[in-house]
Amino acid sequence: MSGRRRVAVRSLFLGLAFGFVLVRSEAISWYRIQEMFRLQSFHMYGIIGSAVLVGMVSLWIIRRHEIRGPDGEALEIAPKETGGRNTRYWAGGAVFGLGWGILGACPGPIYALIGSGHTVFFVALGSAVCGTWLYGALRDRLPHY
Amino acid sequence: MSTLLDLLSRPWPWYVAGPLIGLVVPALLVWVGRPFGISSSFRDVCAATIPGKLEYFGYDWKDHAWRLAFSVGVLGGGFLAWQVLAPTDPGGLSVAVSEATRADLLALGITDQTGLVPRQLISWEALGSVAGLTVVVLGGFLIGFGTRWADGCTTGHAITGLSNLQLASLIAVIGFFAGGLISTHWLLPIILAGLQ
């Protein structure tokens, strides 16, 4: 197997596990997202909070033990660039949040919902791809930092 | 064996699901060599399918095939969890949200609160209504536009970025929540006005 294909197969399996957990945790549910934005349950905060905690400890272990990637490369997540007013993060983030609050699903759940049989999310996916395309077309005219 | 199947087909509490999701960060990094993020796959779909000369999509999407493979995997995981190992307990087919949420949604006109998503709003039939069309099409569009502008979504910023202690991600996550609060408390009541 070529390196690219091997990596794609591993990625597919991890996606499978992630999609499964998204369904079982009900994080793909519109009702759960409404509950989160109405501050009526700890459920979603618990999921995101504990995921971040485990991610943080994992990255610390990777750094401390200098664990290497599949091609023997050093593993470092390059921090995203900041500067100026950081417009792209708060404004882009707010636009994303507006959509999240309406649709009740972010990108991972959109895929998981399609797989679970809620095929109407193909329309949401198509719409999201159009949104991404429009960003690509307007990019030079939008403020970023 | 039956107990295992039972455990696999019942909803999981946050303290089981959250840490498992967190483990995707190191697994993808060590096993695939990439940081965890999903919404960039939308960009790959554009690069692969939409013709044109936009610089933003002028790259070989096959170099990022792992991202599309991950997305296909997530889709398969959804199939496995809801079609193959479907919840046997009838209660598992409805989401156990709080009574306060149920009451709020009822007041907004969501009378059928079964399933993972309200079919009055998000289903092929509902696409024929203004409310349904707005929720699915406008919601999806804002997500696709916002996530590229912000350079990440819930996985890339909230989970990976915060795990990596990035300031950019903290700002983005605050933006996500501000937007979500505005949608929930202002936009949704307007969009759903037709349901009541």
Side-chain angles (χ1 to χ4, degrees):
Chain A
M1 250 197 303
S2 72
R4 194 194 262 176
R5 184 176 298 179
R6 191 178 60 224
V7 155
V9 170
R10 290 173 176 180
S11 195
L12 184 88
F13 270 99
L14 286 175
L16 207 70
F18 179 57
F20 194 88
V21 178
L22 280 181
V23 175
R24 281 293 165 266
S25 64
E26 299 175 337
I28 68 166
S29 167
W30 186 89
Y31 303 107
R32 284 290 187 197
I33 303 305
Q34 278 296 306
E35 187 185 51
M36 170 178 79
F37 284 131
R38 290 169 191 279
L39 317 175
Q40 287 164 338
S41 166
F42 182 70
H43 187 78
M44 288 303 302
Y45 296 98
I47 291 177
I48 298 173
S50 59
V52 169
L53 202 67
V54 168
M56 211 182 282
V57 172
S58 307
L59 291 181
W60 180 78
I61 293 171
I62 286 174
R63 279 190 199 110
R64 190 181 159 98
H65 294 277
E66 292 175 14
I67 295 172
R68 293 185 170 266
D71 299 318
E73 75 274 31
L75 293 176
E76 192 57 54
I77 299 179
K80 294 193 192 284
E81 197 184 324
T82 51
R85 297 198 173 121
N86 288 303
T87 313
R88 73 174 308 171
Y89 300 118
W90 61 262
V95 171
F96 175 87
L98 286 174
W100 192 16
I102 297 175
L103 184 67
C106 43
I110 289 179
Y111 290 113
L113 279 159
I114 292 173
S116 70
H118 298 77
T119 51
V120 69
F121 278 89
F122 267 122
V123 178
L125 177 64
S127 204
V129 169
C130 290
T132 292
W133 184 86
L134 187 72
Y135 167 75
L138 296 179
R139 197 166 69 117
D140 293 340
R141 276 177 265 169
L142 288 170
H144 283 79
Y145 295 98
Chain B
M1 192 62 197
S2 67
T3 359
L4 179 68
L5 275 180
D6 197 43
L7 278 178
L8 282 175
S9 50
R10 235 189 329 209
W12 295 349
W14 65 265
Y15 50 83
V16 172
L20 286 174
I21 291 172
L23 283 176
V24 179
V25 175
L28 260 177
L29 203 56
V30 173
W31 226 27
V32 180
R34 305 291 175 165
F36 185 24
I38 288 189
S39 64
S40 32
S41 62
F42 296 164
R43 187 177 169 189
D44 299 333
V45 173
C46 284
T49 61
I50 302 178
K53 291 196 175 72
L54 286 176
E55 191 204 336
Y56 191 60
F57 304 114
Y59 62 93
D60 189 1
W61 61 272
K62 291 186 217 74
D63 291 339
H64 303 279
W66 72 272
R67 291 202 289 229
L68 285 173
F70 189 84
S71 307
V72 173
V74 176
L75 199 142
F79 178 78
L80 203 63
W82 203 250
Q83 299 290 337
V84 181
L85 287 166
T88 40
D89 167 20
L93 293 170
S94 287
V95 177
V97 283
S98 71
E99 285 306 317
T101 307
R102 291 214 178 278
D104 282 1
L105 296 177
L106 192 64
L108 282 172
I110 310 279
T111 45
D112 179 357
Q113 300 187 353
T114 59
L116 282 177
V117 301
R119 70 201 81 202
Q120 270 172 289
L121 213 54
I122 306 175
S123 62
W124 287 106
E125 297 75 49
L127 273 187
S129 71
V130 178
L133 193 70
T134 309
V135 165
V136 174
V137 175
L138 181 68
F141 189 85
L142 293 174
I143 285 174
F145 187 92
T147 189
R148 282 337 318 139
W149 191 6
D151 199 19
C153 66
T154 331
T155 49
H157 273 311
I159 296 175
T160 311
L162 291 184
S163 295
N164 202 31
L165 307 173
Q166 293 178 179
L167 173 66
S169 296
L170 183 64
I171 300 171
V173 170
I174 293 171
F176 294 169
F177 271 84
L181 289 174
I182 293 171
S183 269
T184 299
H185 297 282
W186 286 350
L187 290 183
L188 261 185
I190 298 171
I191 296 170
L192 300 190
L195 285 183
Q196 284 157 300

